[in-house]
Amino acid sequence: MAPSRHIDAAECWPALPLVSWKDTCETLHMWTQMVGKVRLALTPPANHWWHVPLYVNSRGLTTSAIPYRSSAFELQFDFVRHELILFTSAGREQSLPLAARSVADFYREFMNMLRSAGIEIKIWPMPVEVPNPIRFDKDYAHAAYDRDAAERFWQILLTVQTVFEEFRSGFIGKCSPIHFFWGSFDLALTRFSGRRAPERPGSDAMTKEAYSHEVSSVGFWPGAGLGDPAFYSYAAPEPQGFSAASVRPGAARYDPQLHEFILMYDDVRNAESPSAALLEFCESTYQAAANLGHWDRQALERQPATASRPASDH
């Protein structure tokens, strides 16, 4: 599959092995959780927890507009200026520098910034979806910030989002935004079959809501859990035969512990066309999920345009 006209043919995807920025990654993960928890606390609920994530933009990661009383504000991680910026609908702008300091110090400064702008809020200060969590206000273990690594991380997210947007454009059924989940620290895109899914036995309320309908999901992790950056794709519920499906490119594999197809970022980055390799992964894993799950693909997918034929002369 060749890259589309929306993707630069002269591609150069940056290297970012987890070992080179692990401390920064873990610290930034905690900072994004603080900001995400503010959005979670103040934004009205949306289906599948779509009111929770952050979004990649031309400067970094943003909450988008958060309603507050009769106004609104936005929080943005700017990886060009290396600041966390608070914008308000009243025209106010404040910022915190993104620099090496503890999570506890950052948390105190962040909450002070909100209060100074007249935003009174309490968030649960315990991180989620991480092993051995430490309360934000007690976390002096995570205190690293490598500007170059953080900027490369954002550039990768921006490039991956461009490919995901191309992949998303071929689907006319229900489809999620391309969003960054601060809990699991991944960029994700989800397609829906339109059918409800059977409830998972013993699942909590969050899981029930997230997987209330059949999905095929693709995403990008910067390294947590796999040791290095990787793309993933899964189907929920997983149809019979999915794990044995033939997917592309050849470096992709099914992980029986994760119940997901995995494609390492470096295998994409080093491909002749990284965008084409990632699109192959997105398309082939979706097709496996949709075909084996008996999705109505004719109704859900954008059909190729056919050339119009001139009217016959009579």
Side-chain angles (χ1 to χ4, degrees):
M1 179 184 297
S4 81
R5 61 187 175 85
H6 302 289
I7 297 170
D8 187 354
E11 299 180 78
C12 183
W13 292 30
L16 193 62
L18 183 61
V19 68
S20 71
W21 78 303
K22 185 175 184 294
D23 292 342
T24 294
C25 182
E26 291 176 352
T27 302
L28 186 58
H29 191 177
M30 295 301 96
W31 294 353
T32 61
Q33 289 214 9
M34 294 176 203
V35 171
K37 282 172 178 278
V38 171
R39 183 174 189 226
L40 171 62
L42 294 176
T43 306
N47 53 308
H48 315 299
W49 301 97
W50 290 356
H51 61 297
V52 170
L54 307 179
Y55 306 97
V56 180
N57 69 8
S58 59
R59 303 286 296 194
L61 288 167
T62 180
T63 59
S64 71
I66 298 173
Y68 184 72
R69 296 176 180 168
S70 60
S71 60
F73 67 94
E74 181 174 349
L75 291 161
Q76 176 175 279
F77 286 95
D78 187 324
F79 295 122
V80 177
R81 287 165 47 182
H82 295 278
E83 295 176 340
L84 174 62
I85 307 174
L86 166 66
F87 301 98
T88 75
S89 56
R92 187 168 184 166
E93 180 178 326
Q94 294 177 248
S95 66
L96 291 179
L98 300 180
R101 65 185 177 288
S102 71
V103 167
D105 288 341
F106 190 91
Y107 177 67
R108 184 184 64 255
E109 293 173 29
F110 172 53
M111 299 306 289
N112 286 341
M113 181 174 73
L114 293 176
R115 282 191 291 270
S116 69
I119 300 167
E120 297 291 338
I121 183 173
K122 290 183 178 180
I123 62 173
W124 187 42
M126 184 64 74
V128 297
E129 298 185 57
V130 294
N132 306 312
I134 308 170
R135 283 175 55 111
F136 298 143
D137 55 346
K138 306 293 185 183
D139 187 353
Y140 292 94
H142 300 108
Y145 188 75
D146 180 331
R147 290 168 62 104
D148 178 66
E151 188 169 344
R152 277 185 287 145
F153 170 57
W154 159 64
Q155 289 171 348
I156 291 170
L157 292 180
L158 201 57
T159 302
V160 171
Q161 177 167 273
T162 299
V163 179
F164 281 2
E165 285 174 344
E166 185 66 28
F167 174 58
R168 191 179 191 274
S169 69
F171 196 76
I172 59 174
K174 178 180 173 180
C175 194
S176 77
I178 300 167
H179 39 206
F180 186 82
F181 282 101
W182 42 265
S184 48
F185 209 59
D186 63 318
L187 189 69
L189 169 65
T190 302
R191 290 176 169 185
F192 293 77
S193 73
R195 298 189 299 251
R196 289 198 68 89
E199 188 173 300
R200 297 183 175 190
S203 59
D204 57 24
M206 182 175 181
T207 303
K208 287 179 182 178
E209 175 62 30
Y211 296 107
S212 61
H213 291 70
E214 292 180 346
V215 301
S216 171
S217 189
V218 66
F220 170 74
W221 283 312
L226 289 171
D228 265 321
F231 299 96
Y232 64 82
S233 181
Y234 65 86
E238 183 176 303
Q240 187 173 1
F242 182 69
S243 63
S246 177
V247 302
R248 302 181 304 277
R253 60 178 175 83
Y254 184 83
D255 187 301
Q257 279 73 48
L258 296 172
H259 299 283
E260 300 177 356
F261 281 100
I262 298 297
L263 177 62
M264 301 308 292
Y265 171 74
D266 278 350
D267 288 323
V268 171
R269 185 177 71 85
N270 294 321
E272 182 177 353
S273 170
S275 295
L278 179 52
L279 277 171
E280 275 195 322
F281 181 69
C282 295
E283 291 285 0
S284 64
T285 54
Y286 158 72
Q287 288 170 14
N291 290 338
L292 293 168
H294 307 292
W295 290 26
D296 186 354
R297 293 184 58 187
Q298 185 72 20
L300 294 170
E301 297 170 20
R302 190 181 306 280
Q303 302 305 311
T306 55
S308 58
R309 299 171 64 181
S312 301
D313 292 332
H314 295 286

